[in-house]
Amino acid sequence: FDGVKKLVGNEEFEELLSGYMSAFGSLSSPGRAFQVVFAYDQEKGAEAIRKNFIPARQTIKNIGLDLDDLLDEKEHRLPLFCTEERVFIAVWTRPASLTTEQSKRAYKEQSENIAKSKLSVYNPTIQNILAGLPALREDHDSKVQSFVDTCSSLGVRLHVMPVHKALHAIREENDPQFT
């Protein structure tokens, strides 16, 4: 979740709130769960400010000005008033989100795939690589994309993180020194 792309007054806030209620409402159905995590980091705010000044420093250098002292002071002072904020939205989709017919078909296909593979997938010491239901993944992807589209129509920037990147972000929030 990268944030809103415009200034937000009272009227815009009400519009965003109504849109968010609609977007999150689409995720509030049987077999679905979502979690919203808010995070902030004062130190990363200073780093973000430093990165944001890189193009300005390059432009100033290209036109031959010497304003390093001014930019250094801004980079030193702004972190006192700014911080990096992040919002993560995790979405889970469980088999209960499928209709009865979709569920029957998905489990039948899964059984057929297991039989075709001739793999021993019932060993309790290994991960069952055939346990996933394509119908469930399609349903999940569809709902997530609908959520992203609704938020985008509200002028909110967000993006879907690949699983490995999302897990890394979770670990980094919980234990930044170890990650």
Side-chain angles (χ1 to χ4, degrees):
F1 184 77
D2 291 330
V4 178
K5 297 184 281 187
K6 60 184 178 183
L7 290 176
V8 178
N10 289 337
E11 188 176 313
E12 293 85 2
F13 180 79
E14 291 298 326
E15 183 180 309
L16 284 171
L17 183 60
S18 174
Y20 287 144
M21 296 299 286
S22 173
F24 280 107
S26 71
L27 299 177
S28 300
S29 58
R32 294 190 206 293
F34 64 88
Q35 179 180 7
V36 180
V37 177
F38 299 93
Y40 72 95
D41 188 326
Q42 191 86 31
E43 291 175 22
K44 286 185 180 179
E47 179 63 20
I49 290 167
R50 188 192 65 74
K51 285 181 182 178
N52 285 333
F53 273 103
I54 291 173
R57 286 184 182 279
Q58 188 61 48
T59 301
I60 289 169
K61 180 181 173 186
N62 290 344
I63 60 175
L65 296 176
D66 181 16
L67 299 175
D68 284 342
D69 57 338
L70 177 66
L71 293 178
D72 289 345
E73 181 64 18
K74 283 189 174 279
E75 282 184 27
H76 177 74
R77 298 285 298 156
L78 283 175
L80 300 174
F81 308 100
C82 301
T83 186
E84 182 181 84
E85 296 177 336
R86 295 173 302 283
V87 178
F88 297 97
I89 303 168
V91 179
W92 289 270
T93 303
R94 298 182 181 97
S97 70
L98 300 174
T99 66
T100 304
E101 184 57 38
Q102 288 173 319
S103 185
K104 285 179 186 177
R105 192 172 340 122
Y107 282 115
K108 181 180 178 192
E109 288 173 11
Q110 181 187 50
S111 295
E112 290 170 357
N113 289 335
I114 290 171
K116 286 179 193 174
S117 72
K118 298 181 182 175
L119 292 174
S120 175
V121 295
Y122 297 110
N123 184 335
T125 62
I126 63 171
Q127 184 176 1
N128 183 350
I129 61 172
L130 300 175
L133 299 173
L136 191 61
R137 188 172 25 257
E138 292 164 8
D139 182 53
H140 175 83
D141 290 346
S142 171
K143 284 294 185 181
V144 168
Q145 190 57 53
S146 174
F147 179 80
V148 170
D149 292 345
T150 301
C151 289
S152 293
S153 73
L154 295 169
V156 177
R157 292 185 316 200
L158 57 94
H159 61 276
V160 178
M161 297 173 77
V163 173
H164 293 299
K165 188 174 179 180
L167 291 174
H168 183 269
I170 291 168
R171 285 185 54 169
E172 191 170 39
E173 285 302 319
N174 290 318
D175 192 355
Q177 274 88 22
F178 181 73
T179 304

